[in-house]
Amino acid sequence: MTETVTVGIPKPVHYSPDLESLQPDERETENGLNDAFNTILERTSGDYGHAVRSVHAKAHGILKGVMSVRGDLPQELAQGLFEHSKDHPVYLRISTNAGDILPDAVSLPRGLAIKVLDVDGNRLPDAEGRNQDFIMVNGPVFQSKTAKQFLGNLKMLAKTTDRMEGTKTVMSSVLQTVNDTLEAVGVASPKIQSLGGAPNVNPLGETYFSVTPFRYGEYVAKFRLKPVSQDLTALTGKKIDVSVSEDAIRETIQAEMQTVDAAWEFQVQLCRDIDRQPIEDPTVEWSEEEAPFVTVATIRAGPQDSWSADKVQRVDEEMRFSVWTGLSAHRPLGNINRARKAAYQHSSDFRQNFNRCPIHEP
Ligand code: HEM
């Protein structure tokens, strides 16, 4: 196997369990998160008569595709799922991050969940099935440094769930104008975007980031999914007219996916300096100059019905995506990732019980 040529760039940091530093009150925070999620889940399921995800409740599209792992990867990139060149079926779920189903005029960060099927190797604790999930959003950083800080924000959010829909819509359009103005002077704010000021652009053209780090076999990495086919890059930054319908994004994607040939590169950013690319703080962006992204696989999804009843039932209703569903070789790292294990399980258990619909790995 060849070595990666990264002139002037330090060698990747070797994975070891002591790269993580556990806090004494993590269990207490996890319980607090589940209490706050219960407030959201009980309110939304009561209102809709149906349980939805406690975050990223609204899906805009569900795609089926194929991930092709590259065959020419050097040793440091041929790790875990990416050790062997292979084609894997994948499901993709595109979402917006609120825990309630809001009109698309409320513009919040977007999510992209990926389920890679038929993956062999030692599994993470409690990980069912043979799949590897990757969960991403369309920005490189998380707004909270720790799960405890996230809990503080979540408690506030839980109080406004499913209330003041009109106010949220108006606030969002005001914040979008504020954000556009900030962007014009080069200082777009993730905080404002997380409150509804994100530009209402087509999710098919966006680049998605894991935000938090993961074990990458012998090393440590963050992940990114970047649109590369011309059909997708033509949609990058293209605004959707959300005044025509509450579900304008879903309808636009459904119309476009009749003909769009979608291809993304799945990229890996190896940690090369534990101080400059920290494990425990996802508010810090890992600089691309110091830790470049490298493509390890391609995901393709051909023209299809992105909102077919069958896919909605199978993916939106009967599946859970969690960073803890996967290989030990891709163990989620850091305080935020540790807190996600119980939270994702709790939210999907609630959906399973309320909807009397078993959730399972395909
Ligand atoms: C302490 C931090 C976090 C907590 C407690 C949390 C909690 C949750 C929960 C409970 C769900 C719904 C699970 C379900 O019902 O199936 C969810 C979904 C999701 N989360 Fe997080 N999350 C956290 C951090 C993050 C981060 C850092 C990202 C950035 C990549 C992220 C992106 C997403 C996405 C995209 C989904 C939707 C997954 C799907 O389509 O099913 N979350 N989160």
Side-chain angles (χ1 to χ4, degrees), residues 53-54 56 93 113 135-136 142 321 340 343-344 347 351:
R53 287 163 175 76
S54 49
H56 289 271
R93 176 179 183 267
I135 301 187
M136 302 193 184
F142 197 52
F321 294 84
R340 291 165 90 180
Y344 285 60
S347 173
R351 291 193 281 128

Side-chain angles (χ1 to χ4, degrees), residues 245-273:
S245 155
E246 294 204 340
D247 301 320
I249 299 177
R250 186 181 294 160
E251 289 155 13
T252 303
I253 291 179
Q254 193 175 22
E256 284 166 349
M257 279 310 300
Q258 298 292 318
T259 55
V260 158
D261 193 9
W264 297 265
E265 286 188 358
F266 188 100
Q267 302 184 319
V268 163
Q269 184 182 33
L270 292 176
C271 171
R272 294 171 186 276
D273 178 330

Side-chain angles (χ1 to χ4, degrees), residues 33-34 37 41 52-57 59 93-97 110-114 134-137 139 141-143 146-148 150-151 154 209-212 282 315-316 319-323 335-349 351 359:
L33 285 167
N34 283 347
F37 282 131
L41 288 164
V52 293
R53 287 163 175 76
S54 49
V55 203
H56 289 271
R93 176 179 183 267
I94 302 167
S95 61
T96 282
N97 88 344
R110 312 275 180 233
L112 181 75
I114 309 169
F134 295 101
I135 301 187
M136 302 193 184
V137 287
V141 292
F142 197 52
Q143 73 276 25
T146 62
K148 201 171 178 173
F150 179 71
L151 173 59
L154 189 69
F209 301 80
S210 71
V211 172
T212 51
V315 178
D316 216 29
M319 276 185 206
R320 76 163 67 87
F321 294 84
S322 166
V323 286
N335 173 279
I336 291 282
N337 269 343
R338 291 191 294 278
R340 291 165 90 180
K341 184 169 190 285
Y344 285 60
Q345 186 69 45
H346 180 81
S347 173
S348 54
D349 283 351
R351 291 193 281 128
I359 287 184

Side-chain angles (χ1 to χ4, degrees), residues 89-355:
V90 291
Y91 284 103
L92 309 176
R93 176 179 183 267
I94 302 167
S95 61
T96 282
N97 88 344
D100 40 3
I101 310 273
L102 296 167
D104 290 346
V106 183
S107 178
L108 293 158
R110 312 275 180 233
L112 181 75
I114 309 169
K115 193 173 281 295
V116 185
L117 273 54
D118 302 338
V119 172
D120 294 318
N122 287 337
R123 313 252 337 135
L124 287 162
D126 309 318
E128 291 164 15
R130 277 182 64 225
N131 309 319
Q132 173 69 50
D133 293 357
F134 295 101
I135 301 187
M136 302 193 184
V137 287
N138 63 337
V141 292
F142 197 52
Q143 73 276 25
S144 313
K145 182 174 172 178
T146 62
K148 201 171 178 173
Q149 271 178 22
F150 179 71
L151 173 59
N153 297 342
L154 189 69
K155 280 183 181 161
M156 259 172 22
L157 259 180
K159 285 196 194 121
T160 72
T161 300
D162 221 23
R163 293 227 177 114
M164 308 181 294
E165 206 173 86
T167 314
K168 283 180 183 172
T169 308
V170 174
M171 274 301 289
S172 180
S173 77
V174 171
L175 288 169
Q176 280 173 56
T177 312
V178 173
N179 201 50
D180 282 351
T181 315
L182 287 175
E183 248 176 14
V185 291
V187 283
S189 155
K191 187 89 193 167
I192 289 183
Q193 301 200 357
S194 75
L195 292 170
N200 227 332
V201 294
N202 194 316
L204 286 177
E206 292 291 274
T207 296
Y208 294 86
F209 301 80
S210 71
V211 172
T212 51
F214 293 80
R215 179 174 179 178
Y216 192 72
E218 289 177 38
Y219 307 103
V220 173
K222 288 189 182 182
F223 306 120
R224 170 169 97 172
L225 194 74
K226 200 178 165 190
V228 287
S229 62
Q230 217 196 334
D231 284 356
L232 290 190
T233 55
L235 300 173
T236 302
K238 198 169 164 197
K239 288 201 175 147
I240 291 181
D241 181 4
V242 290
S243 65
V244 293
S245 155
E246 294 204 340
D247 301 320
I249 299 177
R250 186 181 294 160
E251 289 155 13
T252 303
I253 291 179
Q254 193 175 22
E256 284 166 349
M257 279 310 300
Q258 298 292 318
T259 55
V260 158
D261 193 9
W264 297 265
E265 286 188 358
F266 188 100
Q267 302 184 319
V268 163
Q269 184 182 33
L270 292 176
C271 171
R272 294 171 186 276
D273 178 330
I274 205 65
D275 296 320
R276 302 195 56 80
Q277 291 110 38
I279 304 292
E280 295 287 340
D281 185 357
T283 63
V284 175
E285 184 174 356
W286 292 6
S287 144
E288 277 192 60
E289 283 76 46
E290 294 171 15
F293 279 99
V294 190
T295 301
V296 292
T298 304
I299 294 184
R300 286 182 183 280
Q304 57 190 283
D305 183 354
S306 57
W307 201 249
S308 70
D310 171 58
K311 271 191 283 190
V312 171
Q313 178 60 29
R314 256 193 304 156
V315 178
D316 216 29
E317 298 297 327
E318 295 172 15
M319 276 185 206
R320 76 163 67 87
F321 294 84
S322 166
V323 286
W324 286 91
T325 299
L327 300 177
S328 313
H330 299 309
R331 185 183 182 85
L333 303 177
N335 173 279
I336 291 282
N337 269 343
R338 291 191 294 278
R340 291 165 90 180
K341 184 169 190 285
Y344 285 60
Q345 186 69 45
H346 180 81
S347 173
S348 54
D349 283 351
F350 186 98
R351 291 193 281 128
Q352 168 166 279
N353 295 336
F354 190 96
N355 298 336

